[in-house]
Amino acid sequence: MTDLFVDRLVICRRQQYVGKVRFAHFDMHVQSSKKVLVATEKNVFASLNTRTGEVYWRHVDKTGPEGNIDALLMHGQDAVLVVGNGRLLRSWDINIGGLNWEIVLDSGSFQSACFVGQQDSVKYVAVLKKSAVSLHYLSNGHQKWVENLPESETVQYQAVYSGGNGEVYTLGVVPHSHITIVAYSVEDGEIIKQISVDAPWLSNIQASCAVVGQGMLICADPATVSLYMLDLNVQSQMTQIPLQSLGLEVSPGFQPTVVSTQPNPARPPHSEFFVQLGPDHYQLLQLNNGQIVALRDFKPAMLVSFATTGEKTVAAVMAPKNKTGLYKSGRRLLDTTLIFNMDPNGGKPEKLYVQAFLKKDDSVGYRVMVQTEDHTLTFIQQPGRVMWTREEALSDVVTMEMVDLPLTGTQAELEGEFGKKADGLLSMVLKRLSSQLILLQAWIAHLWKLFYDARKPRSQVKNDVTIENLSRDEFNLQKMMVMVTASGKLFGIDSKTGTILWRHYLDNIPSNAAFKLMVQRTTAHFPHPPQCTLLIKDKDTGLATLHVFNPIFGRKSHITPPALPQPILQSLLLPLMDQDYAKVLLLVDDQYKVSAFPSTKNVLQQLQEMASSIFFYLVDSSQGRLSGYRLRTDLSTEMIWEVIIPTEVQRIVSVKGKRPNEHVHSQGRVMGDRSVLYKYLNPNLLAVVTESTDLHQERSFVGILLIDGVTGRIIHEAVQRKARGPVHLVHSENWVVYEYWSTKSRRNEFSVLELYEGMELYNSTVFSSLDRPHPPQVLQQSYIFPSSISTLEATLTEKGITSRHLLVGLPSGAILSLPKMFLDPRRPEIVSEQSREENLIPYSPEMPIRTEWFINYNQTVSRVRGIYTAPSGLESTCLVVAYGLDIYQTRVYPSKQFDVLKDDYDYMLISSVLFALFFATMISKRLAEVKLLNRAWR
Amino acid sequence: METTGSANVSVPCWVMFFRSRAPVLIPVRMSCLLSFKLSVFSTVLLLLCTRFVCCNNGRRVGDALDAEFSGFSVPLEHSFEVDDVAKFRVRGALVLKAGREPSVSLSQNQLSEEDRTKLKEVAAVDGLYRIRVPRVFLQADRQTERQMEGYLTAFVRACAMVESHLSDVIALHTDVSGYLIGVSIVTFPGACRGTEVEDEVDLEVFNTTLSIMAPVNAPGPETALFLERMEQELERKGKNPQEQKSFFAKYWYLILGGAIFLMATSSAQPPAGGDREQS
């Protein structure tokens, strides 16, 4: 029980993520600052602690383009963000994460933004839009001036630059014709000059140009393999400098780019700059009195970056020998290297952020943050020590499974004894004795450890979970969470502590891939390792690949999955097993041919025997077609039923079956008069949700179809009129719960459908879809729900005895555990004796949200997208994982912990009472005997 | 063809499904093992002569005649082949009548001697008996608009058809706007027990129960009724004088008792010298 006690303290944990980093800036205004500010593709702006990698504060904006962060500029304590394609300009205080000011900008698509400084102080922000440029005060966001750009119909303005000399330059280009440069006065927005220079080779300024030194625009041209220089201050021609003349060569077919740095917006950029000459080739150059001088060649080099501290600027180069080189700009060379090991299961590095700082002896020290393709941030300190890593891929979990942990070595030994084939009586006895000895040994070791640990204070006893000491606990509460993320990185996370135990990055995942994770073999079949299969399907082409791995260790399996040359329509995991206890995966291709994995002889033989009872269905939502197929013995298929829902009227939005691992404990419900109402428990039932194509609020509707997946029989067909999606649906046991938006009453409503066979069961021993002629009784009731919802799931327990709850993810980040009892179509409108007997709650149209039903208390889960439930070894307990931007894991007890003793259970009292009673019986028995003897003597 | 929005959704469907758990040696939680059972059936061939029968939907007896002139007819086809390659032939004609409450009636032929033999053969190899109807739009005005491309199909096991003596229940489902979206067929009784059909007469005439079903309207939250009930409750409370009593009226005896008790205790112990302290 001590285990449980400790568990309860750490029962729920949340991990916060920010998403793939788009912009990152180190806080530079205080020398000893520990912050890095990140703006991400998930529309999150956050501050991370550089010592631990934890989130200081985080602002989650709207999803989609509305909250898209276009630019992040940092100066001193202020971080200026352009949000929503130039819709909003915001300034944040980076210390506390408070909003300084926010203003709405004029419409127009955002191009670029920069700080504008004068006399060494930065006072303004310039924002360049498609047809206008505006200047705002940094202190309060007020607009100083806004000017329309000349000839904005033909010229594409792409960049804005200021060198601190009282002028703001906007750089525009007419592709393959000329560059237009307009200089505005900072004071009143007056056009000081406007020049136009021929540049027929240029199409995009931001991609190939940069301003270097005292206002020198340098562009790279891949066609002529040369650099072009243009002084912004004097109207002139572009000077062409062939790279050949500098002794440089560009990799064939590569578009060279120019990287410069401007540490202080009030001053012009540094005169040193990088030119990328190839995928792994950089050259550091210097602009010296109008002449370009080659400083140093870096090959191989993956990434380069500049960083400034005080008056010193350093350039960092990341070379593929797993090291970061450092080059200090200026006269002196400071070459230090920092070697660190990249995760072999990670992706290639993508971005490099350097934090430079002055050491006590005035030399420059630095730390590096590396972003890799798999959205991982790694923070490295100088002697190559990795301080922290953040797996930002986990902000986008697509699908997950929970896998039981393996048994300990000794348990496995015992299991192995049963697993092996019997080979003689004597050897069996010996084997049994040896395994018993091992068990005894393990038990003594355990006792010793308990005794040893008991002397230490509790806080010192730490159970660090590593992949070596993973083992199943008594109640199977600790499991391995296998998570698949959109970036193609797989994670194995221990559910108890939340530590990432393994990670595996799958490269070349298509960007629009759909994933399906299946557990082919659980940990129950020692000595066969557990096996998971991930189906990765390109949504456009339908082509799929399989990744087979061990869910406990994350290693790729030695089994080679079959090559799938044809697009895959459907995949199904059969409960059939091959001789190695791996479940059979069937894949249906676009020729309606079926292939099996694993496809051993044994499996094919089993499939042939079973073929006529293997049915599957396909859904083509573009044509509104649902069709059923049957497997033939030669692994071809035949279509046996077809339902077509005309797409002119409604479209299929989701099709949901029941979870295959669900148990239903009772087949019926006892009514008030002691009769039984039997549930209609069809394991093949599909709930199909349709939405009307007509979105007018009077005519829109949501349709619910219950179809048997084997026979295609429409069991029930209902329409919810004046309703609209998005529809969230849970389908379990004999009920379907869905939530929709009522356009008539402008509110969210829940509806529940329950199916009953009636007072008699047609065939109580077995359910066959082919032999259930009577349609079930369908009961339905609806309720008002006072909040919109993000996701919906039902709890799941080992044997299905515990009452069910619905887990509702709310947009506020709370997760509501709503008893299914409240969603019961048999709730009576008028209370009668019988309904009271049955414990039915009287009907009330509004569903309450009670704050004590929130299972995550104050730990909100941002943008919750999915909830995963898994049974544990305790019937009362269901494991819950909510994922979205954050990941949250907890346990729920829908019927309280009826099978667990309380923490304060008094063992001493109970055992002493037992002993006392025992002795009292003994004594009284003795006394009674004596008395009897005495009486006999009399 | 593409799978739906929820990209890779797949649900394996199983005919036979035991609810009991298969014994598992190792005490580890795992998903339920499903067991399967296949029944093999044998049937005996019988021959019969043909007759004509008309069958209506059973719900509205008088509709069959009305449908004759205002409705329109589509073929109901069936197929049963030993090699399970569908070859549809006409089984009868469905007369559909559009309107507020659509109705349907069916006139169908008897099974020919040849067909009966074949049906029994198909039943012996556990083949399928399939039916199909063309897709139609009931609410269209013109015949040309009614017919749409494609068919809706359904099936039962041929042995179930034989053992139920051709008594089947066919349901046609329409959507809200009157498109036919699905057809279903079940036999009654539905099981294949392997009983032999001796009598030839049993396989001659279809005993069809036919229905056409439009979607039902799902109920919304019942606010009006609830409010009415609440009001009634309030009224009842208002009428009941016992509930209306004031606090004092309800608990006067307690208050009185308390006051007497207080008075009794205070008179028994007179305050000890308040005057003295004042001076």
Side-chain angles (χ1 to χ4, degrees):
Chain A
M1 281 303 137
T2 49
D3 254 7
L4 253 185
F5 181 71
V6 177
D7 280 356
R8 207 159 295 167
L9 300 175
V10 292
I11 215 153
C12 50
R13 21 188 86 248
R14 176 182 62 165
Q15 281 172 355
Q16 291 190 315
Y17 295 95
V18 293
K20 187 189 180 184
V21 173
R22 185 179 284 164
F23 308 108
H25 283 286
F26 287 97
D27 176 16
M28 288 295 186
H29 86 282
V30 191
Q31 199 49 243
S32 60
S33 173
K34 292 188 286 185
K35 285 191 199 77
V36 56
L37 281 298
V38 292
T40 69
E41 300 195 342
K42 290 263 168 199
N43 305 350
V44 175
F45 179 49
S47 167
L48 305 179
N49 185 336
T50 54
R51 298 286 140 83
T52 60
E54 280 162 12
V55 176
Y56 272 124
W57 48 259
R58 185 179 73 167
H59 293 287
V60 182
D61 210 332
K62 287 175 190 150
T63 50
E66 244 187 301
N68 189 39
I69 298 172
D70 301 320
L72 167 65
L73 303 169
M74 281 255 300
H75 182 259
Q77 283 196 40
D78 300 324
V80 177
L81 265 76
V82 183
V83 178
N85 198 13
R87 196 172 51 88
L88 292 170
L89 188 67
R90 282 190 190 134
S91 169
W92 298 92
D93 184 312
I94 58 170
N95 283 332
I96 51 167
L99 185 68
N100 290 330
W101 48 261
E102 174 188 90
I103 57 152
V104 181
L105 295 174
D106 297 336
S107 62
S109 77
F110 173 78
Q111 299 295 329
S112 171
C114 79
F115 281 126
V116 177
Q118 251 180 325
Q119 286 113 35
D120 267 10
S121 68
V122 179
K123 280 187 184 157
Y124 314 106
V125 190
V127 179
L128 179 73
K129 296 232 178 168
K130 200 168 167 26
S131 60
V133 61
S134 58
L135 202 69
H136 301 265
Y137 290 99
L138 188 58
S139 52
N140 54 14
H142 291 183
Q143 187 176 295
K144 187 174 167 73
W145 50 258
V146 58
E147 292 296 326
N148 283 328
L149 294 164
E151 298 163 47
S152 61
E153 302 85 42
T154 52
V155 183
Q156 297 174 10
Y157 288 94
Q158 289 171 337
V160 59
Y161 156 78
S162 165
N165 55 358
E167 290 172 14
V168 178
Y169 295 91
T170 57
L171 314 177
V173 64
V174 178
H176 309 295
S177 170
H178 61 271
I179 297 181
T180 301
I181 295 155
V182 188
Y184 292 90
S185 160
V186 170
E187 288 311 317
D188 49 6
E190 198 184 320
I191 294 178
I192 295 172
K193 63 188 167 206
Q194 184 177 353
I195 53 175
S196 142
V197 181
D198 278 349
W201 42 269
L202 188 69
S203 61
N204 191 334
I205 292 181
Q206 275 183 330
S208 46
C209 297
V211 179
V212 178
Q214 304 286 338
M216 188 72 84
L217 184 71
I218 294 188
C219 296
D221 173 29
T224 56
V225 198
S226 52
L227 293 177
Y228 284 89
M229 279 203 306
L230 174 67
D231 197 332
L232 297 176
N233 302 313
V234 266
Q235 180 169 6
S236 61
Q237 287 293 310
M238 287 203 122
T239 341
Q240 186 182 9
I241 304 156
L243 283 169
Q244 209 111 45
S245 68
L246 298 167
L248 305 176
E249 260 180 64
V250 177
S251 308
F254 187 79
Q255 161 93 43
T257 52
V258 182
V259 184
S260 71
T261 178
Q262 185 181 14
N264 188 344
R267 291 196 205 152
H270 278 279
S271 54
E272 286 82 13
F273 63 99
F274 277 108
V275 174
Q276 189 180 9
L277 301 166
D280 60 345
H281 187 193
Y282 283 88
Q283 173 75 35
L284 186 66
L285 301 166
Q286 191 183 33
L287 184 72
N288 201 348
N289 297 325
Q291 293 296 311
I292 290 176
V293 187
L295 284 182
R296 192 166 161 175
D297 184 50
F298 293 97
K299 188 177 184 180
M302 294 157 100
L303 296 165
V304 294
S305 176
F306 286 104
T308 303
T309 174
E311 294 298 306
K312 292 178 177 168
T313 299
V314 293
V317 177
M318 188 171 179
K321 251 181 220 163
N322 301 342
K323 63 177 183 181
T324 307
L326 189 81
Y327 177 81
K328 188 172 169 282
S329 112
R331 292 285 130 77
R332 289 172 298 143
L333 283 172
L334 165 118
D335 248 328
T336 54
T337 49
L338 184 152
I339 299 172
F340 74 102
N341 292 319
M342 301 270 304
D343 184 3
N345 294 332
K348 283 194 217 109
E350 224 171 29
K351 271 181 193 167
L352 181 68
Y353 305 97
V354 182
Q355 182 191 26
F357 56 90
L358 287 175
K359 288 182 186 164
K360 280 185 186 125
D361 57 351
D362 218 31
S363 64
V364 178
Y366 64 103
R367 303 188 190 95
V368 186
M369 187 165 80
V370 182
Q371 186 185 351
T372 44
E373 273 179 342
D374 52 353
H375 306 184
T376 308
L377 288 180
T378 314
F379 196 80
I380 307 146
Q381 217 180 12
Q382 212 148 16
R385 194 165 69 89
V386 174
M387 288 183 74
W388 48 265
T389 48
R390 281 185 71 84
E391 295 290 355
E392 290 304 336
L394 282 171
S395 68
D396 207 349
V397 175
V398 183
T399 176
M400 66 167 291
E401 283 288 341
M402 271 187 160
V403 183
D404 290 348
L405 289 176
L407 301 159
T408 56
T410 46
Q411 286 169 315
E413 177 72 28
L414 205 64
E415 298 292 352
E417 189 194 336
F418 292 112
K420 281 165 205 150
K421 295 228 162 59
D423 41 15
L425 187 70
L426 190 70
S427 66
M428 283 295 276
V429 169
L430 283 178
K431 211 178 270 174
R432 161 54 62 90
L433 282 178
S434 72
S435 52
Q436 295 282 13
L437 265 178
I438 289 166
L439 273 185
L440 186 72
Q441 196 187 337
W443 186 64
I444 291 169
H446 176 71
L447 279 186
W448 174 248
K449 190 170 177 287
L450 269 187
F451 175 70
Y452 194 73
D453 283 349
R455 296 188 304 175
K456 284 197 242 169
R458 169 158 281 167
S459 57
Q460 279 184 15
V461 184
K462 246 199 240 166
N463 301 328
D464 272 341
V465 179
T466 57
I467 213 146
E468 283 78 34
N469 64 17
L470 269 186
S471 67
R472 198 178 304 168
D473 58 324
E474 283 176 276
F475 299 120
N476 203 3
L477 291 166
Q478 187 181 3
K479 294 196 181 199
M480 178 68 85
M481 308 195 288
V482 180
M483 290 189 153
V484 181
T485 61
S487 66
K489 195 166 190 183
L490 313 182
F491 292 91
I493 300 174
D494 170 43
S495 74
K496 191 171 167 184
T497 58
T499 40
I500 297 171
L501 295 175
W502 58 263
R503 56 205 96 194
H504 188 94
Y505 180 61
L506 303 171
D507 34 11
N508 56 54
I509 295 284
S511 58
N512 56 348
F515 298 92
K516 189 178 172 187
L517 183 63
M518 289 153 288
V519 183
Q520 276 200 294
R521 193 193 293 129
T522 61
T523 30
H525 306 286
F526 188 83
H528 300 290
Q531 183 180 324
C532 273
T533 301
L534 180 69
L535 180 78
I536 307 148
K537 182 174 142 182
D538 190 315
K539 271 185 198 159
D540 294 337
T541 60
L543 289 172
T545 50
L546 289 176
H547 174 68
V548 186
F549 63 99
N550 180 332
I552 303 298
F553 302 108
R555 282 193 291 265
K556 196 173 174 187
S557 169
H558 60 273
I559 303 164
T560 41
L564 307 168
Q566 297 282 343
I568 297 297
L569 294 181
Q570 177 75 293
S571 65
L572 49 158
L573 196 66
L574 302 186
L576 283 182
M577 287 193 194
D578 71 349
Q579 69 271 33
D580 291 340
Y581 307 101
K583 284 183 191 163
V584 178
L585 176 69
L586 286 190
L587 297 159
V588 186
D589 65 20
D590 64 343
Q591 305 296 312
Y592 303 103
K593 280 260 188 256
V594 172
S595 53
F597 169 70
S599 57
T600 55
K601 216 173 174 184
N602 176 305
V603 169
L604 293 178
Q605 194 186 338
Q606 282 190 63
L607 276 178
Q608 270 183 7
E609 284 166 18
M610 304 287 308
S612 62
S613 63
I614 295 175
F615 296 82
F616 61 93
Y617 70 91
L618 295 176
V619 182
D620 179 5
S621 54
S622 64
Q623 292 178 45
R625 186 193 306 266
L626 289 147
S627 41
Y629 292 81
R630 183 162 86 153
L631 196 67
R632 284 191 179 154
T633 46
D634 59 345
L635 294 190
S636 64
T637 58
E638 55 178 339
M639 191 171 86
I640 48 173
W641 59 264
E642 200 169 20
V643 166
I644 302 168
I645 299 165
T647 46
E648 300 93 71
V649 185
Q650 49 193 337
R651 62 195 169 84
I652 301 171
V653 287
S654 81
V655 178
K656 265 205 173 168
K658 290 176 187 173
R659 287 177 67 160
N661 57 347
E662 177 182 273
H663 289 265
V664 182
H665 182 254
S666 66
Q667 293 212 352
R669 282 177 65 163
V670 182
M671 314 277 284
D673 58 359
R674 295 280 176 270
S675 61
V676 176
L677 185 62
Y678 287 100
K679 295 174 183 171
Y680 179 77
L681 296 168
N682 183 348
N684 310 321
L685 196 66
L686 304 174
V688 181
V689 179
T690 61
E691 277 177 40
S692 61
T693 45
D694 188 352
L695 290 176
H696 186 269
Q697 63 166 17
E698 285 296 311
R699 293 186 296 270
S700 68
F701 65 86
V702 167
I704 297 286
L705 256 86
L706 300 179
I707 295 184
D708 188 300
V710 169
T711 61
R713 185 179 175 197
I714 297 175
I715 303 286
H716 183 69
E717 195 189 353
V719 282
Q720 198 85 47
R721 297 207 184 255
K722 291 171 190 163
R724 209 167 52 193
V727 178
H728 298 274
L729 180 124
V730 173
H731 183 189
S732 178
E733 282 186 38
N734 65 328
W735 48 264
V736 175
V737 170
Y738 60 94
E739 187 262 5
Y740 57 90
W741 171 257
S742 164
T743 52
K744 185 188 165 200
S745 316
R746 294 170 184 278
R747 64 191 176 199
N748 290 284
E749 289 176 5
F750 258 116
S751 197
V752 57
L753 279 161
E754 284 194 1
L755 295 101
Y756 291 98
E757 291 217 355
M759 293 302 178
E760 276 172 43
L761 213 52
Y762 180 79
N763 181 350
S764 59
T765 50
V766 66
F767 189 96
S768 164
S769 285
L770 293 175
D771 179 19
R772 279 284 137 146
H774 300 295
Q777 301 168 11
V778 182
L779 305 174
Q780 187 167 16
Q781 220 169 46
S782 299
Y783 314 89
I784 303 161
F785 193 66
S787 166
S788 68
I789 72 170
S790 307
T791 184
L792 196 62
E793 187 55 77
T795 59
L796 192 69
T797 52
E798 179 78 10
K799 298 266 186 272
I801 300 168
T802 310
S803 59
R804 307 291 294 268
H805 276 203
L806 288 172
L807 299 171
V808 187
L810 303 178
S812 65
I815 296 163
L816 185 75
S817 181
L818 186 66
K820 170 69 180 56
M821 224 173 149
F822 281 88
L823 288 155
D824 183 350
R826 301 192 59 253
R827 282 174 71 176
E829 305 221 323
I830 293 146
V831 186
S832 68
E833 197 58 49
Q834 290 207 344
S835 71
R836 210 170 286 146
E837 183 87 359
E838 226 184 304
N839 264 338
L840 292 174
I841 307 161
Y843 180 78
S844 77
E846 189 167 18
M847 184 75 59
I849 292 185
R850 297 197 185 140
T851 41
E852 69 263 26
W853 286 347
F854 290 148
I855 58 169
N856 51 348
Y857 310 108
N858 60 350
Q859 305 224 309
T860 53
V861 187
S862 277
R863 292 198 197 140
V864 57
R865 214 176 40 245
I867 295 175
Y868 178 87
T869 52
S872 73
L874 284 172
E875 170 56 33
S876 64
T877 310
C878 169
L879 305 175
V880 176
V881 184
Y883 54 87
L885 192 59
D886 302 336
I887 294 175
Y888 178 78
Q889 197 269 328
T890 191
R891 300 171 195 165
V892 289
Y893 316 98
S895 301
K896 302 278 175 342
Q897 288 182 286
F898 60 82
D899 51 1
V900 176
L901 291 179
K902 293 242 160 48
D903 291 337
D904 54 355
Y905 185 77
D906 202 339
Y907 296 94
M908 282 305 286
L909 183 77
I910 289 287
S911 46
S912 56
V913 165
L914 267 179
F915 275 115
L917 280 175
F918 178 72
F919 284 117
T921 351
M922 295 292 278
I923 292 162
S924 55
K925 195 179 169 192
R926 179 78 193 135
L927 288 176
E929 272 173 10
V930 170
K931 199 176 177 185
L932 268 178
L933 195 67
N934 287 342
R935 194 181 291 163
W937 275 110
R938 223 177 275 152
Chain B
M1 239 186 225
E2 252 283 271
T3 45
T4 30
S6 42
N8 272 327
V9 175
S10 83
V11 171
C13 298
W14 301 94
V15 186
M16 302 289 182
F17 175 73
F18 282 101
R19 288 214 189 87
S20 60
R21 264 187 74 179
V24 182
L25 232 181
I26 304 150
V28 159
R29 283 80 203 162
M30 49 179 296
S31 58
C32 166
L33 291 172
L34 303 177
S35 313
F36 303 88
K37 197 174 116 185
L38 270 173
S39 326
V40 180
F41 297 91
S42 58
T43 44
V44 175
L45 313 181
L46 285 173
L47 307 170
L48 261 188
C49 55
T50 49
R51 227 191 307 158
F52 182 79
V53 88
C54 174
C55 170
N56 62 26
N57 68 358
R59 288 191 308 181
R60 297 171 50 140
V61 183
D63 272 357
L65 264 175
D66 298 351
E68 289 297 307
F69 45 89
S70 66
F72 61 100
S73 149
V74 288
L76 170 69
E77 293 166 298
H78 63 174
S79 151
F80 40 95
E81 302 293 330
V82 180
D83 57 354
D84 251 357
V85 178
K87 281 192 207 104
F88 284 98
R89 285 156 298 149
V90 174
R91 169 174 153 178
L94 286 165
V95 180
L96 292 155
K97 191 188 151 200
R100 270 183 145 259
E101 257 186 59
S103 63
V104 65
S105 61
L106 170 66
S107 58
Q108 52 192 346
N109 307 323
Q110 280 182 320
L111 272 187
S112 69
E113 195 180 309
E114 194 188 330
D115 283 347
R116 288 198 299 271
T117 321
K118 197 155 84 181
L119 185 61
K120 285 195 167 183
E121 277 171 14
V122 174
V125 297
D126 194 20
L128 302 182
Y129 175 85
R130 302 150 190 261
I131 57 164
R132 76 171 185 191
V133 288
R135 291 177 65 198
V136 288
F137 180 38
L138 292 180
Q139 307 299 346
D141 301 325
R142 271 170 297 174
Q143 185 69 32
T144 48
E145 285 172 11
R146 281 176 179 151
Q147 295 277 351
M148 295 166 75
E149 204 186 326
Y151 289 92
L152 305 166
T153 50
F155 72 99
V156 281
R157 292 163 80 183
C159 54
M161 202 71 191
V162 172
E163 283 180 40
S164 65
H165 308 288
L166 301 185
S167 33
D168 53 356
V169 182
I170 296 176
L172 300 167
H173 295 267
T174 66
D175 71 353
V176 265
S177 47
Y179 286 99
L180 213 57
I181 61 164
V183 60
S184 71
I185 177 168
V186 286
T187 59
F188 195 82
C192 285
R193 294 203 169 73
T195 46
E196 291 184 3
V197 179
E198 298 283 353
D199 201 350
E200 292 195 339
V201 188
D202 290 341
L203 284 185
E204 188 177 64
V205 183
F206 284 105
N207 174 19
T208 306
T209 315
L210 193 64
S211 60
I212 185 158
M213 284 190 236
V216 295
N217 278 333
E222 286 280 352
T223 38
L225 222 100
F226 181 74
L227 288 176
E228 207 174 286
R229 216 184 62 218
M230 290 282 279
E231 263 168 37
Q232 277 176 359
E233 209 127 288
L234 273 178
E235 251 172 57
R236 215 183 58 221
K237 265 187 191 167
K239 272 179 195 163
N240 196 343
Q242 253 197 333
E243 310 257 321
Q244 259 195 332
K245 277 183 187 170
S246 70
F247 180 77
F248 286 103
K250 263 188 198 165
Y251 303 110
W252 63 269
Y253 47 91
L254 283 180
I255 293 161
L256 190 73
I260 290 169
F261 179 73
L262 273 178
M263 266 156 59
T265 47
S266 60
S267 62
Q269 282 179 327
D275 290 345
R276 249 182 290 162
E277 272 186 357
Q278 249 180 2
S279 60

